[in-house]
Amino acid sequence: MADEDEGEDGTESAEGRLGRRPRRPRRLRIVGCVLAGVLVLGAGSAAWAFWRLNGNIESVDIDSALGDNRPAKPRPTGSPSASAAPLATGALNILVLGSDSRSGKENAELGGGGEDSGARSDTAMVVHIDEGRTGATVVSIPRDTLVTRPSCPLESGGSTSVAYNVMFNSAYAVGGPVCAVKTVESLTDVRMDHYMEIDFSGFAKLVDALGGVTVTTDEDIDDEDSHLTLAAGTHHLDGEQALALARTRHGIGDGSDLGRIALQQHLVKALLDQIASTDLLTDPARLYRAADAITAGLTTDTGLDSLTELMNFAQSLRDLSSARTRTVMMPVAPAPYDRNRVVADEPEAGELWESLR
């Protein structure tokens, strides 16, 4: 049977065509309303996500706290041009700390201790990003290094006293990020342009958001303290396992902090490889989870305390890869008065820091 809008020969009659004309505008109106609704909802979701991520970030005004009594900033090289990229390309030195804070339920569970039992900087790395931001050097500072801890300003007022031959990680314990930065600058005579600190929970969630991380170990690991057991070989770790690997010390090598540093440096390169192989921009849900994980467990200086600043910084590192990242440890030697501690091995340590200025 022919459609009532068609003629006997099956072609559409003029009357039928006239009868259908109102349907197209109506369909367009419906589609337009749907699209408008999607755009409004999308914009609202994006605004909510930006507000949430931006609000996650905690910051410390290190520049104001330390004032001008610091190593000089290096002079920028090259000359600006109208055709230069808008993203910054200058060299940077960043102090990156891994905090073992048990503050909050998740950190307490991952750390295996009670909440609010204090915090130390058991992982400390000075990340030097080369001019052009296509290469980097990551220098680990052993927590057991004996240093002269300078007088540090306290948030509550006053300042700490100078302390001699104390463990490096005591700086964070007594004076927080400000004292950690001042101690590193005193030890290295290198100006720290930025500060980043990530806690247990933030690190584990970041690894999970990236889909895990693949590492290869040269020997078996069995550490009762970090609760990690791995046979020698290649393993794909989830966030909790990766955190345990970063904390492992007694189950590998001589059980010292130096063995743990080797694992942490290996893990840094594996994470760079994982980030490079994960196209976050094509997976908005994963991108959001990664950004939420990073910002929720992150403390920065005020120069990186907004989502916009962090995004610009990350974008400036788009050409950085694990192949262009060198990982080293500050040269150390056993302390002559305490064989369980180390001291900077000179002149090698000084030469290393000189190369990063």
Side-chain angles (χ1 to χ4, degrees):
M1 180 182 293
D3 190 285
E4 63 180 359
D5 287 334
E6 294 180 358
E8 292 181 358
D9 60 355
T11 61
E12 190 174 35
S13 66
E15 184 178 352
R17 287 195 300 272
L18 288 172
R20 285 193 179 183
R21 281 178 185 167
R23 296 184 186 178
R24 188 177 179 190
R26 184 183 176 195
R27 287 175 181 164
L28 287 176
R29 284 197 299 272
I30 293 173
V31 171
C33 289
V34 171
L35 287 176
V38 169
L39 289 173
V40 169
L41 289 174
S45 298
W48 176 85
F50 187 92
W51 173 81
R52 174 183 167 85
L53 296 175
N54 214 48
N56 279 345
I57 306 169
E58 294 186 14
S59 65
V60 179
D61 193 350
I62 290 172
D63 286 343
S64 293
L66 294 184
D68 296 327
N69 187 23
R70 305 175 64 187
K73 289 185 178 181
R75 294 182 179 180
T77 60
S79 57
S81 65
S83 60
L87 292 173
T89 59
L92 287 175
N93 288 302
I94 306 168
L95 177 60
V96 178
L97 297 185
S99 167
D100 71 350
S101 169
R102 270 65 168 180
S103 177
K105 182 179 179 180
E106 290 181 345
N107 282 323
E109 290 177 350
L110 289 169
E115 290 189 39
D116 298 323
S117 59
R120 296 163 297 180
S121 55
D122 279 351
T123 300
M125 298 178 177
V126 173
V127 180
H128 173 80
I129 301 172
D130 297 340
E131 183 83 23
R133 303 197 180 179
T134 61
T137 300
V138 179
V139 184
S140 295
I141 302 176
R143 71 166 194 171
D144 294 337
T145 304
L146 296 180
V147 300
T148 296
R149 190 180 68 223
S151 174
C152 300
L154 295 173
E155 187 176 359
S156 58
S159 60
T160 65
S161 300
V162 177
Y164 301 94
N165 296 322
V166 295
M167 283 178 57
F168 166 76
N169 70 344
S170 69
Y172 184 93
V174 302
V178 171
C179 197
V181 169
K182 187 166 185 180
T183 301
V184 168
E185 291 185 342
S186 175
L187 174 68
T188 66
D189 196 28
V190 176
R191 173 73 168 246
M192 295 297 111
D193 300 291
H194 291 299
Y195 169 83
M196 289 184 172
E197 174 192 329
I198 191 164
D199 62 19
F200 286 163
S201 176
F203 180 81
K205 287 180 179 179
L206 171 60
V207 173
D208 283 336
L210 292 173
V213 61
T214 300
V215 299
T216 300
T217 59
D218 297 328
E219 58 183 290
D220 296 343
I221 297 175
D222 187 9
D223 191 338
E224 293 182 358
D225 289 341
S226 67
H227 308 292
L228 181 67
T229 301
L230 288 178
T234 300
H235 304 273
H236 191 74
L237 309 181
D238 63 17
E240 190 169 345
Q241 291 171 317
L243 176 64
L245 182 68
R247 299 182 63 212
T248 289
R249 178 172 60 149
H250 300 294
I252 192 168
D254 61 1
S256 72
D257 190 46
L258 307 187
R260 174 165 56 184
I261 283 175
L263 288 177
Q264 291 172 348
Q265 292 179 339
H266 187 59
L267 188 56
V268 165
K269 287 204 167 190
L271 282 170
L272 287 173
D273 287 334
Q274 183 66 24
I275 291 170
S277 66
T278 305
D279 192 354
L280 296 175
L281 294 179
T282 63
D283 189 342
R286 178 177 284 186
L287 174 61
Y288 176 79
R289 288 196 301 272
D292 191 37
I294 293 173
T295 55
L298 187 68
T299 301
T300 72
D301 66 287
T302 50
L304 290 176
D305 65 352
S306 75
L307 190 59
T308 300
E309 289 164 333
L310 282 175
M311 288 171 62
N312 287 338
F313 172 67
Q315 212 174 351
S316 77
L317 304 179
R318 62 188 180 276
D319 295 324
L320 182 64
S321 66
S322 65
R324 295 173 176 171
T325 301
R326 180 171 65 120
T327 55
V328 297
M329 184 178 69
M330 180 183 76
V332 294
Y337 32 82
D338 187 344
R339 306 302 291 180
N340 293 319
R341 302 289 180 257
V342 296
V343 293
D345 192 10
E346 300 295 354
E348 289 81 2
E351 291 169 355
L352 172 62
W353 298 126
E354 175 65 29
S355 71
L356 305 185
R357 293 186 192 124

